[in-house]
Amino acid sequence: MLGLKLPTDPRWVNIVEKNIEDILTDHAYCEQKATSTAISLIVSFPEYTDLVQEMVALVKEEISHFKMVHDKILENGWILGRDRKDDYVLQLITFFPKGGSRTTQLVHRLLYAALIEARSCERFRLLSEELEDKELAEFYRKLMVSEANHYTMFLGFARQYGDRKEVDQKWNDLLDYEAEIMKNLSKSETIHG
């Protein structure tokens, strides 16, 4: 369903289980960045009313996810650690050339967002199925469903605003590029790394 070309190495869950505090901190910042992305799309493309409406709803949902993850951190007696750079996202967003029409820029941002959500969904599925901590596994199962909805929403908007054939080709090319990035990841206690 997600179309990812290279699945996460299941051994990544072993790294996560040894570093739950780190993964929760990284996850909290991922939710915060997802909130920021939705706000940025509203600010950058206010003329797309249906997109703005969906992004307002997404801001509320993502910030509630941030709170849920932050609460998990506090439940364990930890505090939110410092944000770290996300090598996955930093590499991913270099794929499309800068510039182009506003519509092209919007489509590219939507495709990036769709892919980040798809990879998050895939990672959450893995955590929901493989974590020994069943409470945490159930927590990730619930979040996985939201991520899948976000992925399809962003991809749907890209197809709505851009030429469908061109958008689908860009999506496929981006999936190929992302698979190459993933070959060097799945080795750290981060959601995407």
Side-chain angles (χ1 to χ4, degrees):
M1 175 196 134
L2 297 171
L4 299 172
K5 305 261 176 116
L6 183 66
T8 295
D9 183 333
R11 293 175 294 183
W12 172 75
V13 177
N14 299 333
I15 297 168
V16 169
E17 290 201 298
K18 294 179 181 124
N19 300 282
I20 296 295
E21 183 176 1
D22 289 331
I23 196 75
L24 287 173
T25 291
D26 184 67
H27 181 185
Y29 282 109
C30 287
E31 298 294 354
Q32 181 268 325
K33 290 169 191 168
T35 304
S36 297
T37 295
I39 292 169
S40 175
L41 286 167
I42 293 168
V43 171
S44 300
F45 302 98
E47 68 273 26
Y48 293 90
T49 303
D50 50 348
L51 177 68
V52 170
Q53 290 292 92
E54 287 296 324
M55 292 303 101
V56 168
L58 186 62
V59 166
K60 292 176 184 176
E61 186 177 353
E62 297 289 18
I63 204 67
S64 75
H65 291 174
F66 172 84
K67 182 176 181 348
M68 289 166 59
V69 178
H70 189 245
D71 288 349
K72 270 283 175 223
I73 291 168
L74 298 178
E75 284 170 21
N76 283 286
W78 302 321
I79 59 167
L80 180 63
R82 305 238 358 174
D83 188 17
R84 295 173 288 186
K85 66 181 180 171
D86 189 330
D87 289 328
Y88 170 82
V89 172
L90 291 174
Q91 290 178 59
L92 189 68
I93 63 172
T94 65
F95 182 71
F96 294 121
K98 300 279 184 223
S101 70
R102 280 179 56 73
T103 303
T104 298
Q105 291 173 38
L106 173 58
V107 165
H108 291 172
R109 287 178 64 181
L110 292 168
L111 291 176
Y112 286 141
L115 189 46
I116 291 165
E117 295 285 353
R119 182 56 71 181
S120 297
C121 179
E122 186 248 6
R123 290 283 175 100
F124 291 174
R125 180 195 55 76
L126 201 55
L127 293 172
S128 75
E129 293 172 354
E130 302 295 333
L131 281 174
E132 289 182 19
D133 179 333
K134 294 308 167 198
E135 184 182 324
L136 195 56
E138 178 60 17
F139 176 75
Y140 276 107
R141 189 194 67 70
K142 289 177 184 172
L143 289 173
M144 172 190 72
V145 174
S146 290
E147 301 303 306
N149 291 333
H150 301 164
Y151 144 73
T152 57
M153 176 192 60
F154 281 121
L155 187 55
F157 276 128
R159 289 172 171 159
Q160 177 181 334
Y161 299 136
D163 173 75
R164 174 65 187 255
K165 187 175 179 186
E166 185 179 306
V167 168
D168 286 348
Q169 183 60 56
K170 286 181 176 189
W171 176 244
N172 195 53
D173 293 345
L174 184 59
L175 286 168
D176 289 338
Y177 180 73
E178 194 257 4
E180 289 301 313
I181 293 171
M182 290 305 294
K183 286 180 181 176
N184 296 316
L185 297 177
S186 302
K187 298 177 177 96
S188 68
E189 62 284 348
T190 60
I191 294 296
H192 301 117

